[in-house]
Amino acid sequence: MRKMEFNPRYPKLDQTVVDKILRSRREVEEMQEQELRCPICHYRIAGVYGDRSGHIRVKCRKCKFEGVLNLSYFRRMKRYYRELNSYK
């Protein structure tokens, strides 16, 4: 597990916050991370895990697209795109 790094200008973290961060890291150790990419320029916006579902508000740092994405739609699109290319 990587050491927690953050900007030293912020105050020292409370122990309950540190515990929550470490517990969150342990929960996703066995899960596979998937990339969430911008629908416009395909820049990597975030990494999401298998248990993540629902909607997320995103802003692309490259093309400045800003909007809400349904995570399940983009997983299906990626799978569909792979299937479509496998038939060629």
Side-chain angles (χ1 to χ4, degrees):
M1 207 179 312
R2 295 186 315 213
K3 181 183 173 188
M4 276 194 302
E5 296 178 12
F6 58 93
N7 196 325
R9 71 179 178 190
Y10 294 104
K12 190 167 176 79
L13 289 176
D14 185 30
Q15 188 58 39
T16 58
V17 174
V18 171
D19 291 341
K20 289 177 183 178
I21 293 171
L22 294 175
R23 195 173 346 134
S24 298
R25 284 185 179 181
R26 282 192 300 269
E27 289 172 356
V28 298
E29 281 178 348
E30 301 297 321
M31 293 183 189
Q32 184 177 0
E33 184 179 9
Q34 298 174 340
E35 290 184 337
L36 178 62
R37 295 191 169 269
C38 176
I40 309 298
C41 68
H42 305 289
Y43 183 77
R44 184 182 186 277
I45 296 175
V48 294
Y49 292 92
D51 65 342
R52 178 76 177 150
S53 62
H55 298 80
I56 184 171
R57 179 173 295 282
V58 296
K59 180 174 181 181
C60 179
R61 290 187 284 171
K62 187 175 179 184
C63 73
K64 307 302 183 220
F65 164 77
E66 198 170 342
V68 177
L69 299 178
N70 185 333
L71 296 174
S72 62
Y73 292 163
F74 286 90
R75 285 190 197 122
R76 286 189 204 131
M77 282 176 57
K78 187 173 183 181
R79 197 175 306 133
Y80 174 74
Y81 182 74
R82 249 188 266 138
E83 291 172 2
L84 187 66
N85 285 337
S86 66
Y87 292 117
K88 292 182 180 181

